[in-house]
């Protein structure tokens, strides 16, 4: 089954963020492990949410708004698409992601119809 891991943080992580010192190397190690297991299909970081655009069409009218789709404290900073046997394995993979210690990882299965 395929799952989307939405990598979310409360605020942008920078050099002064507690616990962020080894984040780059830890994330690279996680990617290598998941790629080695054949579980990670793809993933990437996202640009700052201030660069986002929200697009809606209502009654045939296009509405485009600057910024992320929702006003929340957490922002999606990246994503990974994984393929594994079940939700338990997906949660195990998400729990090993370094951001899980600083933010959160939402695990969502792909639609199967």
């Amino acid at each position: 089954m395929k799952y989307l891991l939405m990598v979310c943080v409360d605020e942008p992580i920078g050099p002064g963020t507690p616990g962020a010192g080894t984040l780059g190397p830890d994330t690279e190690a996680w990617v290598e492990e998941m790629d080695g297991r054949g579980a990670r299909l793809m993933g990437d970081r996202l640009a700052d949410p201030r660069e986002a655009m929200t697009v809606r069409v209502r009654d045939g009218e296009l509405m485009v708004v600057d910024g992320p789709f929702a006003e929340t404290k957490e922002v999606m900073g990246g994503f990974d698409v994984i393929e594994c046997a079940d939700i338990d394995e997906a949660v195990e993979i998400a729990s090993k992601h370094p951001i899980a210690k600083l933010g959160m990882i939402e695990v969502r299965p792909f639609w199967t119809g």
Side-chain angles (χ1 to χ4, degrees):
M1 246 186 113
K2 288 184 184 173
Y3 295 87
L4 175 66
L5 304 184
M6 290 183 278
V7 180
C8 302
V9 293
D10 289 341
E11 56 190 43
I13 295 174
T17 304
T22 62
L23 190 57
D26 290 349
T27 301
E28 289 173 19
W30 180 86
V31 166
E32 286 180 23
E33 178 185 349
M34 296 310 140
D35 285 352
R37 283 172 58 169
R40 184 175 172 272
L41 302 178
M42 67 175 298
D44 212 337
R45 292 176 63 182
L46 298 175
D48 190 294
R50 292 175 291 197
E51 296 181 41
M53 302 292 285
T54 299
V55 177
R56 292 181 177 91
V57 177
R58 299 293 184 271
D59 297 321
E61 182 180 341
L62 172 64
M63 297 180 285
V64 180
V65 180
D66 292 342
F69 67 96
E71 294 293 327
T72 64
K73 185 176 178 185
E74 296 87 11
V75 295
M76 189 169 156
F79 71 96
D80 289 283
V81 177
I82 60 172
E83 188 163 24
C84 49
D86 54 31
I87 190 73
D88 293 330
E89 184 180 6
V91 168
E92 178 263 325
I93 289 170
S95 73
K96 291 183 172 187
H97 196 294
I99 290 294
K101 295 176 184 173
L102 299 173
M104 67 173 207
I105 310 292
E106 181 176 332
V107 179
R108 188 175 302 183
F110 276 59
W111 179 262
T112 59

